[in-house]
Structures are given as C-alpha cells and as structure tokens.
Amino acid sequence: MTAVPEFHRLDADADARFLRARVADPLTRTPFRPTNEVVMCDACGTVSLRETWEALGGCPNGHRRAAAWDVSAALSAGDGAATAAPRPPARGAARPAPPPEEPKGRWLTWLLVAVGVAGLVVLGIVVVGMLRDGNDTTVVETDDTPAGPTGPQAIVIAEPSLVEGSLAEGDYQTPDGRYQDLYTFAADSSGAVLAFRASSEDFFPDLVVETPEGDRVEAETLSDDPDTGARVVAVTGLRGPGLYRILIAARRPGETGDYAFRIVSENPVRPLTPNGSAVQAELGKFSERVEGFFRDRYRFTGAAGREHTVTVRSSAFAPVVQMEGPGGAVSGETGRAGGVVTFVFTPQRDGTHTLVVTSQSAGKTGAYTVQLAVEAAEEPEQVVTRTLPTNGQAVTDSLQAGDTQTYSIRGRVGDRVRLEVRAEGFTPSLTLVGPDGERTPASPDGDRARLRLTLPSAGTYRVIVGATDGSGVARTTLEQEAAVTSEDIPRLPGADALGRETPPPPANDDENYRPQPIDNAPDGGRR
C-alpha cells in the first residue's frame, strides 16, 4: 500500500529563496506561488503541485514515493528536473566509493549485441515466409495505411485565460468525422469557482469537461444569435483541486473554423438575505483557502443608520467573522458564547458589504449556519393636518415646547391672506409653506406672530404653528380675501355684443312712404 505523501504548503517568507527561483510545475509549467501545496519526489527530486501528483499518481517521471520538504534539495532539483542534485552525506558517514572505471574491451560487447539483433531480423523473415500456403495465399495481412492518432494532442493551459484556436483539416477527427481539440488545466485547492466557455462564429461548438474524478460534464448553450452567428456554450460551477481535460469539437462532422476558449476562476461569493432564514453551509467544502485557513464569503446590501446583527453557529469549529463595507473594514461589537458568534454593527452609509466566515485555528472545517438580522426602518412621522377656516374664526390648540401644529388652506393667484397667532405663555412661530415648498416665516412680536401677503400661485398651502420656548395655548386665525376675477366685474348693457358683426340696414321702402301730419303746423304738416 502506497503511503500518503506529506504535502508542503509554500510560505512567502520561509520559502522565499525557492519562490524567487521561479521554479515551475513540470506538467502545467506554472511557476509556484505562495499557498500552493507541493510535494518533492524522493527518487528524482522533482517538485510538483499537489494536483499534478494526485492526477498522475506520482511525479511525472513515474516515481511514487515522496520525500520530506527541503528547500535546498528542491532548488537543486530545479525546474522539473528529472534528477535531483546529489545530497551531501550525513555527518560521520563514510563517503561513497568513486564509480568503477569502465572496463576495457566494451566495444566487443556492443558487437555481439549487433550480431544478435541481425539474427532476430533474419528469423522474422523466415517466419513470415512459412505463413504462406502452397498457393502463395497470404495468411496474415498487414495494413500499409499509416495509423492515425488515437486522440488529440493535449494543449496545457497554465493559468485561467483566453485561448484562441481553430479546428482545421489535419486535426484529430472522431469516428463520426468531427474535428476535436484537447486542453488540460490543473486547478489548485484555493476553492475558486471555475467556468469554461467556448464560442465561435464559424461553427456550433461542443464543449465537454472531464473532471479530476473522471466525470464528463457537457456544456449548456448560453447564446445562439442567428443574426451575428455567435454561439456560446459553457460549463460552470466546478472547483479544484485536480487535473481537468477539456474537449472542444464541432457539432457537425467536417465543420472547421476559428473559436475562442476561456477559463474563468472566481472566488465563490454567496448572497446573504437580510432578515431571511439561516443559511446552511460547510466550511472547507467550497471555501477559499488562505494561509491554511478556510474562508467563505457572503455579500449583502447594508442600510445606513440601521443596526445589523450577524450570527454564526457551529459545533465543528470556533467561528470568526470579518466585515468589509464600501469604505473598507467595518468595526462593530463581537460576542462569543461557545460555538456561537455575533457581530453587531451599524453601517455609516448604504452599499455592498462582504462578510467573511473563517475559523480561529488553521485547517478547521465543518458545518455551520449564518444569519443576518437588520433593524426595521423607522416609520415616517405622520403629519396631522387640519383645514383652517377663512372667515377669521380662531382655532385653538394646546402646544408643548418644541411641538408644531399644521393647517392647510386652498388659494388662488392674487388671494390676500392675513394670518395671526396669539399665544399664552410662549412666543409662537408661524410659517407659510407654498405648493412649491417655498417657506415664508413670520417675525414674532412677543406673544404674537403675523403674516400678510398676496398668494403668488394657486394650490394648497400649509400653515405651521410652533411653540419655541414654552408651552401653552395658541389661537390661530385666518382672514382670506379672494382675488378679483373677470366674473366679478359688472357688465355694461350691450357689452356682450361688442366685437360682433353690425347688422345691415333695413331694405328701402320709399313707395309705401306716407308723410305724417305735424300737429299745429300752418299747412297741416304738408310741404
């Protein structure tokens, strides 16, 4: 039974010399970075990523035994070297004897080997001849057609990036005549979410991703635009560690053309609903790993001025919470009781907040719940408004210091209003607020405040009466004189006919004219 290798987590300080050497994984050719888990082969000294070792079942040179981590030995092995530099002998141990000299006459050995190979060739020819029957019919036939590749040659992708490729004649073809390209990608153990996307305007792409466990995941179609011809397919939601194999092919046999392939790696972030149900999660399952600590991230929109309470519960580990807001780290009050942690804070402004859940000790994993409670928003104060009589009748209210009373009046352009407040025991305030929000305050005069003005616009006005420096009774009166309108102006007789067309004079009727006698005229009124 093969022993489980001891993987080493690269540290930025302790392994600084090794990291500065820019040593790379022998399979992916990706330079090692801090927090990578690596293993060193005991036989050849090759340093590999944990994902490479587990995917291949050992080092790329076929060895399966791992050595304890040693920076000097790792640097001596170099960038994927097949043979490690010899290690110095332990103190007090005898030095190894020098290699024996090559014996003389070695050429004779090689000559004998060559003769033996020639004899085997002759024997093969004789055997083939014996396989023919008397009629010279071939019993064993050979295929002179050159054998094609059993699969596409893998292209290694070192880091998540955009790759531009093409399917063309000469590429590997599947038995049904479809061209195919193969890529490999070694995902690390950071917990990042992986997405694989392929797109083409020349053909409809097929994308299949084979996971480190050997499962084959077929892509879903994201876009098929008949106008532009762009077709996009994707496989999402996968995570490392391990070696992924990605197959890109044309959906129809014989199709060729250019395509784009992209691998996207993102840190997983889950939404957190305020005042919702507790979220069930497991630290370490899909978590980001930083300096040996597993971390889960949640995102929500914080409300300024309202108290927020985050509660994390776990019986598997001692939880720790961290909060970041639009302006950076958020301070608050942390409470702890057994496996329950609460974090209470009040955002200074609205915006996106990120919650990080981790553990007190490195490497701890397990189930937990997280819940967010947000203080309810304050209900807006309801303003009680009463209509103020316009005939000068006083309205009486009892006000405490700091209280206000609001009245409403309706007005038209040009209306004349006289407002007056008389108070007992305090100096009153009086303000008229127009339909457009413009405020007209009155100047107080002892226990009175008055306003006289002509309304500049039509609409509803508010009259606000307040007690500034004491308590008591306030009597408010309003006298409102309506503006003069055209209906209020008296009409002259016939004014309604002004501007109309003058009627024509009556027709000439001289033939029927008879002069009338004039009383007391000498001739009886005749001329």
Side-chain angles (χ1 to χ4, degrees):
M1 179 175 179
T2 304
V4 178
E6 180 181 350
F7 298 107
H8 173 71
R9 191 173 189 82
L10 294 176
D11 183 84
D13 298 325
D15 301 308
R17 283 196 306 133
F18 179 77
L19 293 171
R20 283 197 299 269
R22 299 290 293 172
V23 181
D25 179 77
L27 177 64
T28 66
R29 314 307 298 173
T30 304
F32 296 114
R33 298 188 295 269
T35 73
N36 283 154
E37 289 191 351
V38 298
V39 60
M40 186 169 64
C41 178
D42 185 64
C44 63
T46 300
V47 180
S48 307
L49 284 170
R50 174 177 182 169
E51 294 77 20
T52 298
W53 183 279
E54 292 179 343
L56 301 178
C59 85
N61 297 322
H63 307 129
R64 300 181 182 276
R65 183 175 178 181
W69 175 253
D70 183 275
V71 175
S72 299
L75 287 172
S76 299
D79 186 0
T83 304
R87 302 184 185 181
R91 181 177 297 178
R95 294 184 176 274
E101 296 182 1
E102 185 176 351
K104 298 180 179 179
R106 193 174 183 85
W107 59 271
L108 182 60
T109 302
W110 288 110
L111 177 61
L112 294 174
V113 171
V115 171
V117 171
L120 290 175
V121 172
V122 173
L123 179 62
I125 295 174
V126 172
V127 171
V128 171
M130 294 175 63
L131 291 175
R132 295 179 178 271
D133 59 13
N135 296 327
D136 201 31
T137 303
T138 303
V139 177
V140 178
E141 296 183 354
T142 59
D143 187 2
D144 295 333
T145 305
T150 58
Q153 184 177 2
I155 302 172
V156 177
I157 299 178
E159 296 181 349
S161 59
L162 173 65
V163 177
E164 294 182 348
S166 62
L167 295 179
E169 295 183 3
D171 287 348
Y172 172 77
Q173 276 187 290
T174 61
D176 60 358
R178 298 189 303 156
Y179 292 106
Q180 189 179 78
D181 281 349
L182 170 64
Y183 295 89
T184 61
F185 172 72
D188 58 24
S189 55
S190 66
V193 179
L194 300 174
F196 304 85
R197 294 188 178 93
S199 62
S200 176
E201 296 182 359
D202 298 334
F203 60 89
F204 204 119
D206 259 351
L207 173 66
V208 177
V209 178
E210 184 177 307
T211 68
E213 294 78 19
D215 299 328
R216 295 172 65 89
V217 183
E218 296 184 0
E220 297 181 355
T221 301
L222 300 184
S223 174
D224 182 9
D225 192 335
D227 296 330
T228 63
R231 303 173 180 90
V232 182
V233 295
V235 173
T236 59
L238 301 180
R239 291 175 172 83
L243 186 68
Y244 284 89
R245 291 164 50 88
I246 305 101
L247 293 169
I248 298 178
R251 185 162 294 187
R252 299 182 181 88
E255 284 188 331
T256 60
D258 297 331
Y259 64 85
F261 171 57
R262 180 185 293 274
I263 301 178
V264 179
S265 175
E266 298 178 338
N267 289 326
V269 179
R270 300 176 63 179
L272 189 60
T273 304
N275 298 323
S277 302
V279 176
Q280 308 283 337
E282 182 177 344
L283 189 67
K285 185 175 183 180
F286 299 123
S287 306
E288 176 187 18
R289 191 170 185 179
V290 179
E291 300 295 334
F293 291 83
F294 292 100
R295 295 154 51 106
D296 284 348
R297 293 177 178 270
Y298 298 86
R299 188 167 292 162
F300 63 92
T301 300
R306 295 163 60 183
E307 187 177 82
H308 293 53
T309 303
V310 174
T311 304
V312 180
R313 304 173 185 270
S314 176
S315 58
F317 61 92
V320 174
V321 298
Q322 302 168 0
M323 186 70 65
E324 293 182 359
V330 175
S331 59
E333 182 178 348
T334 302
R336 183 178 299 277
V340 180
V341 172
T342 58
F343 182 73
V344 182
F345 68 101
T346 302
Q348 300 299 315
R349 56 178 176 172
D350 296 339
T352 300
H353 287 63
T354 302
L355 168 69
V356 178
V357 178
T358 184
S359 59
Q360 280 188 335
S361 303
K364 296 295 184 180
T365 61
Y368 70 92
T369 63
V370 58
Q371 192 168 19
L372 172 63
V374 180
E375 180 185 21
E378 295 183 0
E379 294 292 336
E381 183 179 355
Q382 298 295 328
V383 178
V384 179
T385 303
R386 294 186 295 170
T387 303
L388 197 62
T390 61
N391 57 0
Q393 179 182 352
V395 176
T396 303
D397 287 287
S398 179
L399 300 177
Q400 301 293 322
D403 288 350
T404 59
Q405 176 61 51
T406 303
Y407 306 96
S408 67
I409 62 174
R410 293 283 300 174
R412 297 180 299 179
V413 177
D415 284 3
R416 297 179 181 180
V417 296
R418 288 184 293 274
L419 289 164
E420 182 178 26
V421 178
R422 293 188 180 187
E424 297 179 2
F426 63 91
T427 301
S429 65
L430 174 63
T431 304
L432 181 66
V433 183
D436 57 355
E438 184 177 354
R439 304 171 73 91
T440 305
S443 298
D445 182 12
D447 60 355
R448 298 185 181 186
R450 298 187 182 91
L451 269 178
R452 295 188 180 185
L453 72 163
T454 301
L455 300 183
S457 59
T460 300
Y461 288 76
R462 289 183 296 147
V463 179
I464 303 176
V465 178
T468 57
D469 57 358
S471 304
V473 176
R475 294 179 176 84
T476 305
T477 59
L478 165 67
E479 294 182 9
Q480 182 173 356
E481 182 180 338
V484 177
T485 63
S486 59
E487 288 76 11
D488 299 327
I489 302 175
R491 310 293 292 177
L492 295 175
D496 293 336
L498 292 177
R500 299 179 184 174
E501 184 178 356
T502 304
N508 188 5
D509 197 16
D510 291 342
E511 296 179 358
N512 299 323
Y513 174 74
R514 295 291 184 267
Q516 300 298 319
I518 300 176
D519 294 342
N520 301 322
D523 56 357
R526 295 182 178 86
R527 294 288 188 266

XYZ file of all heavy atoms in Angstrom, residues 406-456:
392
model
N -49.998 71.758 12.197
C -50.045 72.103 10.779
C -51.489 72.219 10.323
O -52.315 71.347 10.620
C -49.329 71.038 9.937
O -47.979 70.905 10.393
C -49.314 71.414 8.460
N -51.756 73.299 9.584
C -53.071 73.531 8.985
C -52.873 73.634 7.476
O -51.751 73.854 6.971
C -53.706 74.826 9.504
C -53.789 74.919 11.004
C -52.797 75.586 11.722
C -54.864 74.378 11.697
C -52.867 75.694 13.099
C -54.940 74.481 13.081
C -53.932 75.130 13.769
O -53.994 75.237 15.128
N -53.981 73.521 6.748
C -53.924 73.676 5.290
C -54.965 74.684 4.844
O -56.036 74.801 5.446
C -54.164 72.338 4.588
O -55.490 71.893 4.801
N -54.639 75.411 3.799
C -55.584 76.349 3.178
C -55.442 76.207 1.662
O -54.379 75.856 1.151
C -55.325 77.808 3.605
C -53.927 78.264 3.163
C -55.498 77.969 5.106
C -53.659 79.741 3.436
N -56.540 76.467 0.941
C -56.540 76.491 -0.520
C -56.547 77.929 -0.984
O -57.230 78.780 -0.412
C -57.761 75.761 -1.080
C -57.789 74.268 -0.831
C -56.864 73.526 -1.767
N -57.244 73.732 -3.174
C -56.540 73.303 -4.196
N -55.387 72.672 -3.972
N -56.952 73.506 -5.421
N -55.768 78.216 -2.030
C -55.710 79.587 -2.503
C -55.556 79.662 -3.998
O -55.218 78.668 -4.656
N -55.857 80.877 -4.522
C -55.682 81.163 -5.938
C -54.697 82.314 -6.083
O -54.397 83.025 -5.121
C -57.016 81.525 -6.587
C -58.050 80.409 -6.570
C -59.341 80.828 -7.235
N -59.952 81.971 -6.537
C -61.081 82.557 -6.918
N -61.716 82.116 -7.990
N -61.574 83.564 -6.242
N -54.217 82.476 -7.267
C -53.278 83.572 -7.524
C -53.973 84.907 -7.213
O -55.083 85.169 -7.683
C -52.792 83.549 -8.980
C -51.876 84.747 -9.258
C -52.077 82.249 -9.284
N -53.322 85.733 -6.395
C -53.848 87.050 -6.073
C -54.692 87.087 -4.804
O -55.093 88.185 -4.382
N -54.984 85.918 -4.193
C -55.732 85.931 -2.928
C -54.902 86.650 -1.868
O -53.690 86.463 -1.758
C -56.022 84.501 -2.447
C -57.152 83.855 -3.230
O -57.656 84.494 -4.174
O -57.502 82.688 -2.916
N -55.626 87.459 -1.072
C -54.966 88.166 0.030
C -55.278 87.428 1.321
O -56.439 87.145 1.604
C -55.455 89.608 0.120
C -55.120 90.456 -1.110
C -55.660 91.852 -0.951
N -55.389 92.680 -2.115
C -55.752 93.956 -2.236
N -56.446 94.531 -1.250
N -55.459 94.639 -3.321
N -54.220 87.099 2.073
C -54.413 86.365 3.332
C -53.770 87.136 4.471
O -52.738 87.797 4.300
C -53.810 84.945 3.251
C -54.520 84.107 2.210
C -52.319 84.986 2.959
N -54.437 87.063 5.620
C -53.905 87.631 6.851
C -53.936 86.523 7.902
O -55.016 86.054 8.284
C -54.742 88.833 7.303
C -54.559 90.061 6.425
C -55.322 91.248 6.964
N -56.772 91.037 6.878
C -57.498 91.307 5.790
N -56.907 91.782 4.693
N -58.804 91.100 5.782
N -52.758 86.089 8.350
C -52.623 85.046 9.352
C -52.110 85.656 10.654
O -51.209 86.501 10.642
C -51.631 83.966 8.879
C -52.100 83.049 7.744
C -50.923 82.305 7.123
C -53.125 82.051 8.281
N -52.675 85.197 11.749
C -52.236 85.719 13.046
C -52.327 84.603 14.092
O -53.270 83.809 14.101
C -53.096 86.905 13.495
C -52.628 87.507 14.816
C -53.458 88.711 15.227
O -54.640 88.770 14.802
O -52.946 89.570 15.941
N -51.278 84.515 14.916
C -51.253 83.558 16.023
C -51.057 84.331 17.313
O -50.152 85.166 17.417
C -50.100 82.534 15.860
C -50.078 81.577 17.063
C -50.247 81.751 14.562
N -51.931 84.066 18.292
C -51.792 84.640 19.627
C -51.569 83.498 20.609
O -52.331 82.534 20.613
C -53.044 85.424 20.018
C -53.255 86.670 19.173
C -54.400 87.500 19.728
N -54.622 88.693 18.935
C -55.471 89.669 19.267
N -56.189 89.537 20.396
N -55.618 90.718 18.514
N -50.500 83.639 21.406
C -50.124 82.569 22.320
C -50.205 83.036 23.764
O -50.094 84.232 24.058
C -48.719 82.085 22.007
N -50.409 82.094 24.639
C -50.418 82.365 26.077
C -49.316 81.534 26.722
O -49.384 80.311 26.774
C -51.773 81.994 26.688
C -52.931 82.810 26.157
C -54.258 82.386 26.768
O -54.224 81.472 27.634
O -55.295 82.933 26.359
N -48.262 82.184 27.175
C -47.193 81.504 27.886
C -45.951 81.215 27.072
O -44.987 80.656 27.600
N -45.918 81.559 25.797
C -44.721 81.329 24.989
C -44.766 82.237 23.765
O -45.789 82.850 23.443
C -44.623 79.861 24.556
C -45.750 79.398 23.669
C -45.653 79.475 22.278
C -46.936 78.893 24.220
C -46.690 79.047 21.470
C -47.965 78.470 23.413
C -47.852 78.537 22.040
N -43.613 82.290 23.081
C -43.522 83.053 21.838
C -43.794 82.119 20.672
O -43.067 81.140 20.478
C -42.126 83.682 21.679
O -41.861 84.534 22.790
C -42.025 84.468 20.388
N -44.823 82.360 19.898
C -45.186 81.425 18.828
C -44.330 81.640 17.578
O -43.774 82.714 17.355
C -46.647 81.757 18.562
C -46.738 83.220 18.848
C -45.785 83.491 19.991
N -44.254 80.590 16.772
C -43.648 80.689 15.435
C -44.743 80.435 14.413
O -45.662 79.642 14.635
C -42.512 79.685 15.257
O -42.998 78.359 15.315
N -44.627 81.117 13.265
C -45.637 81.000 12.212
C -44.915 80.944 10.869
O -44.095 81.820 10.556
C -46.597 82.194 12.258
C -47.627 82.290 11.123
C -48.572 81.104 11.127
C -48.416 83.612 11.231
N -45.207 79.901 10.059
C -44.567 79.733 8.752
C -45.616 79.304 7.743
O -46.429 78.408 8.011
C -43.450 78.673 8.810
O -42.499 79.029 9.808
C -42.736 78.553 7.460
N -45.579 79.927 6.566
C -46.460 79.556 5.464
C -45.609 78.847 4.409
O -44.610 79.384 3.937
C -47.135 80.785 4.860
C -48.101 80.523 3.699
C -49.321 79.747 4.173
C -48.533 81.836 3.039
N -46.017 77.606 4.036
C -45.284 76.807 3.054
C -46.144 76.693 1.799
O -47.284 76.213 1.851
C -44.957 75.411 3.602
C -44.135 74.620 2.582
C -44.196 75.516 4.915
N -45.615 77.144 0.661
C -46.365 77.150 -0.589
C -46.412 75.794 -1.255
O -45.750 74.842 -0.843
N -47.195 75.672 -2.339
C -47.284 74.404 -3.074
C -45.940 73.942 -3.627
O -45.727 72.745 -3.818
C -48.282 74.712 -4.197
C -49.060 75.889 -3.713
C -48.113 76.691 -2.883
N -45.033 74.888 -3.882
C -43.719 74.539 -4.406
C -42.695 74.310 -3.316
O -41.511 74.103 -3.589
C -43.228 75.637 -5.347
C -43.178 77.005 -4.673
O -43.615 77.107 -3.500
O -42.721 77.976 -5.310
N -43.120 74.343 -2.041
C -42.211 74.112 -0.932
C -41.531 75.354 -0.407
O -40.795 75.284 0.582
N -41.755 76.496 -1.017
C -41.118 77.722 -0.543
C -41.737 78.142 0.798
O -42.955 78.169 0.957
C -41.283 78.834 -1.570
C -40.564 80.110 -1.182
C -40.664 81.188 -2.239
O -41.210 80.885 -3.318
O -40.202 82.316 -2.005
N -40.855 78.460 1.761
C -41.288 78.785 3.117
C -41.212 80.293 3.346
O -40.213 80.935 3.003
C -40.420 78.059 4.146
C -40.390 76.554 3.945
C -39.366 75.890 4.843
N -39.813 75.880 6.231
C -40.509 74.904 6.791
N -40.866 73.835 6.053
N -40.877 74.947 8.057
N -42.288 80.832 3.955
C -42.340 82.255 4.310
C -42.581 82.354 5.808
O -43.703 82.151 6.272
C -43.455 82.981 3.539
O -43.273 82.779 2.128
C -43.447 84.477 3.847
N -41.530 82.638 6.600
C -41.720 82.718 8.052
C -42.182 84.112 8.473
O -41.920 85.109 7.795
C -40.335 82.408 8.590
C -39.397 82.914 7.522
C -40.119 82.725 6.212
N -42.883 84.156 9.610
C -43.322 85.432 10.180
C -42.348 85.849 11.271
O -41.707 85.012 11.915
C -44.724 85.292 10.751
N -42.243 87.146 11.480
C -41.392 87.654 12.552
C -42.232 87.739 13.827
O -43.247 88.452 13.864
C -40.846 89.041 12.182
O -40.046 88.960 11.014
N -41.851 86.996 14.885
C -42.659 87.019 16.117
C -42.581 88.383 16.803
O -41.557 89.074 16.730
C -42.026 85.902 16.963
C -40.630 85.763 16.449
C -40.680 86.091 15.001
N -43.659 88.731 17.457
C -43.747 90.002 18.186
C -44.355 89.699 19.553
O -45.572 89.753 19.737
C -44.616 91.002 17.421
C -44.695 92.356 18.130
O -43.907 92.574 19.066
O -45.562 93.175 17.737
N -43.461 89.336 20.500
C -43.956 88.981 21.828
C -44.750 87.694 21.775
O -44.241 86.639 21.395
N -45.999 87.800 22.154
C -46.853 86.615 22.156
C -47.676 86.504 20.885
O -48.658 85.772 20.845
C -47.771 86.622 23.376
C -48.673 87.850 23.396
O -48.495 88.729 22.513
O -49.553 87.918 24.260
N -47.267 87.237 19.847
C -47.999 87.205 18.581
C -47.045 86.979 17.423
O -45.850 87.253 17.502
C -48.757 88.513 18.353
C -49.823 88.818 19.391
C -50.591 90.061 19.002
N -51.617 90.397 19.978
C -52.514 91.366 19.823
N -52.504 92.101 18.715
N -53.405 91.612 20.760
N -47.627 86.486 16.315
C -46.902 86.365 15.047
C -47.908 86.593 13.941
O -49.022 86.034 13.982
C -46.248 84.999 14.915
N -47.529 87.455 12.952
C -48.480 87.828 11.892
C -47.820 87.661 10.526
O -46.612 87.833 10.368
C -48.940 89.271 12.041
C -49.695 89.588 13.318
C -50.230 91.015 13.236
N -50.925 91.427 14.447
C -50.329 92.030 15.480
N -49.022 92.276 15.413
N -51.026 92.377 16.537
N -48.677 87.338 9.536
C -48.273 87.296 8.132
C -49.377 87.914 7.298
O -50.555 87.553 7.444
C -48.033 85.853 7.657
C -46.622 85.262 7.777
C -46.623 83.818 7.293
C -45.600 86.074 6.984
N -48.977 88.853 6.403
C -49.921 89.422 5.446
C -49.247 89.383 4.085
O -48.169 89.940 3.901
C -50.279 90.865 5.821
C -51.037 90.983 7.130
C -51.522 92.393 7.345
N -52.266 92.530 8.601
C -52.879 93.646 8.988
N -52.829 94.729 8.225
N -53.521 93.682 10.137
N -49.916 88.756 3.128
C -49.313 88.645 1.799
C -50.372 88.266 0.778
O -51.489 87.856 1.138
C -48.194 87.616 1.788
C -48.568 86.123 1.880
C -47.388 85.279 1.429
C -48.975 85.749 3.286
N -49.983 88.425 -0.496
C -50.817 88.016 -1.623
C -50.245 86.716 -2.179
O -49.042 86.632 -2.458
C -50.830 89.096 -2.719
O -51.329 90.325 -2.158
C -51.710 88.668 -3.876
N -51.099 85.718 -2.310
C -50.609 84.419 -2.740
C -50.072 84.494 -4.165
O -50.753 84.981 -5.081
C -51.731 83.383 -2.660
C -52.341 83.167 -1.263
C -53.392 82.064 -1.320
C -51.264 82.842 -0.241
N -48.840 83.978 -4.404
C -48.243 84.065 -5.737
C -48.668 82.945 -6.683
O -48.439 83.039 -7.891
C -46.743 83.973 -5.437
C -46.662 83.141 -4.199
C -47.895 83.459 -3.394
